[in-house]
Amino acid sequence: MNTPMVFPFKKVEASDQYPSSIKWTQVNSKYEINVTTLEEIDVSVLLPHCLNVLNKIKKEVGTEAHVGPSLFKVFPRTLSIPLTSVWDQLVEDVGVHEFTVDNFEQKLKDFIAAHELAQQL
């Protein structure tokens, strides 16, 4: 007979999180933003996080050609490991030459919709 095992899991409160610095380069330009890691799929937390990261990257990156690739490169680094795996599945069909702002925003909508649907089930 199998005995179920219970593992304690401490839910991270938003007030317990501190922003971490995410640095990246695009061609010869260096960029940096400070953002917290998204740990939960609650849409009331997910949506503001996604918009916050999107706006910070757009504000930080001055070169239009660097914005799309930066979004695809940095956004997954702001997600917890389980959420990153969901994101990776959504963008696996996007080629490097398709790293545009429009493609990112579409994938971001798909990401939010997937979590909103999961929350309703």
Side-chain angles (χ1 to χ4, degrees), residues 21 30 32 35 40 44-45 48 55 58 67 71 73-74 77 94-95 98 106 108 120:
S21 178
K30 295 181 181 182
E32 177 181 357
V35 66
E40 60 182 273
S44 66
V45 177
N55 290 332
K58 284 183 173 181
V67 176
L71 290 167
K73 186 179 206 176
V74 176
R77 294 172 58 187
V94 179
E98 297 171 331
Q106 182 57 51
L108 190 60
Q120 292 176 359

Side-chain angles (χ1 to χ4, degrees), residues 24-27 29 31 33 53-76 87 96 98-105:
W24 74 99
T25 59
Q26 200 65 41
V27 187
S29 301
Y31 304 108
I33 60 170
V53 172
L54 177 69
N55 290 332
K56 282 186 176 188
I57 293 171
K58 284 183 173 181
K59 184 178 176 183
E60 177 69 19
V61 179
T63 307
E64 190 65 33
H66 294 177
V67 176
S70 292
L71 290 167
F72 278 96
K73 186 179 206 176
V74 176
F75 179 72
W87 175 257
V96 174
E98 297 171 331
F99 283 177
T100 64
V101 175
D102 291 338
N103 283 344
F104 177 82
E105 289 176 351

Side-chain angles (χ1 to χ4, degrees), residues 2 6 10 12 20 32 39 54 62 67 70 74 81 90 108 113 118:
N2 292 337
V6 178
K10 180 183 176 197
V12 178
S20 58
E32 177 181 357
E39 298 286 345
L54 177 69
V67 176
S70 292
V74 176
I81 293 172
L90 287 172
L108 190 60

Side-chain angles (χ1 to χ4, degrees), residues 9-14 17 36-42 45-46 49 78-83 115:
F9 177 75
K10 180 183 176 197
K11 183 176 178 181
V12 178
E13 297 296 325
Q17 291 187 344
T36 58
T37 300
L38 181 64
E39 298 286 345
E40 60 182 273
I41 63 168
D42 183 14
V45 177
L46 176 72
H49 174 84
T78 70
L79 305 174
S80 65
I81 293 172
L83 294 176
H115 287 91

Side-chain angles (χ1 to χ4, degrees), residues 43 46 90 106-120:
V43 176
L46 176 72
L90 287 172
Q106 182 57 51
K107 293 300 180 180
L108 190 60
K109 289 175 187 175
D110 295 344
F111 182 70
I112 293 168
H115 287 91
E116 187 172 12
L117 179 62
Q119 213 173 19
Q120 292 176 359

